[in-house]
Amino acid sequence: MELRKLITTIIALVCFTALASAQKPKSPEEQQKALFEAIDSQVEKLENQLDLADWQSFKVDSILTHDYQAMQDELQKLSSKKVENFDLYYQVQDKWYEQIYNAYHKILNEEQWAKYHKQGAPREKKARDKRAEQAEKAAAKLKNAEK
């Protein structure tokens, strides 16, 4: 349950950063600092919950640093274009969280993966998959309506 709260907090932080930047510009240094604090917090939680080896902690930190930065960049682009469709923001987040999920699967051993799953990872994946399926259905309807 702790991991789910942390992921929700990070999503809120990323969304808040993207939305707040449209209202009150933050310096890139402040944005980076907030992002790295969130990453450090999540790495520390995973280290404690999953008993990560040093190399795994390094990999998790690298994965999160790259993927959160890329996700934040995409969200910033949407925000700067004044996109109001929140489904697009969720699609960006889901894409990057799916990538993180798959990367974790590659570096965690079976016992750690089982613990990770007990903390709500399958629930989050199922929600991502459901949103993706709904988006595909909506796109297919639009495509059929255009014909």
Side-chain angles (χ1 to χ4, degrees):
M1 198 55 111
E2 288 292 319
L3 181 60
R4 186 172 185 202
K5 288 180 184 176
L6 182 61
I7 289 174
T8 303
T9 302
I10 291 172
I11 289 173
L13 175 67
V14 171
C15 286
F16 176 76
T17 301
L19 294 174
S21 66
Q23 298 169 358
K24 176 187 166 198
K26 286 189 176 184
S27 71
E29 294 82 19
E30 289 174 327
Q31 290 178 359
Q32 284 296 101
K33 182 180 177 185
L35 181 65
F36 289 132
E37 286 173 357
I39 291 168
D40 288 344
S41 174
Q42 186 164 1
V43 170
E44 187 176 320
K45 288 259 187 203
L46 289 174
E47 285 173 338
N48 293 332
Q49 293 170 344
L50 303 178
D51 194 29
L52 299 178
D54 289 342
W55 70 270
Q56 290 173 311
S57 295
F58 176 79
K59 286 281 201 179
V60 166
D61 185 69
S62 298
I63 290 164
L64 294 178
T65 299
H66 173 268
D67 291 356
Y68 282 167
Q69 184 64 54
M71 179 171 55
Q72 188 176 38
D73 291 346
E74 282 190 49
L75 292 171
Q76 279 297 119
K77 286 178 186 174
L78 290 175
S79 180
S80 68
K81 292 178 181 178
K82 308 224 185 296
V83 173
E84 294 181 7
N85 183 348
F86 284 101
D87 289 339
L88 295 176
Y89 290 91
Y90 282 117
Q91 286 176 357
V92 169
Q93 291 174 357
D94 287 347
K95 174 181 85 172
W96 288 105
Y97 284 122
E98 185 68 20
Q99 186 163 319
I100 291 168
Y101 177 86
N102 292 329
Y104 282 177
H105 196 184
K106 292 177 184 175
I107 64 168
L108 298 177
N109 64 34
E110 288 180 32
E111 181 183 326
Q112 291 167 326
W113 187 248
K115 284 182 186 178
Y116 179 66
H117 269 230
K118 285 182 182 177
Q119 297 168 355
R123 230 181 355 259
E124 299 296 326
K125 178 158 181 37
K126 185 176 179 180
R128 284 193 306 272
D129 292 345
K130 185 176 180 180
R131 285 190 295 270
E133 182 181 324
Q134 289 171 343
E136 282 180 24
K137 285 180 182 178
K141 280 184 183 179
L142 282 175
K143 196 172 191 177
N144 288 336
E146 290 175 355
K147 289 182 179 180

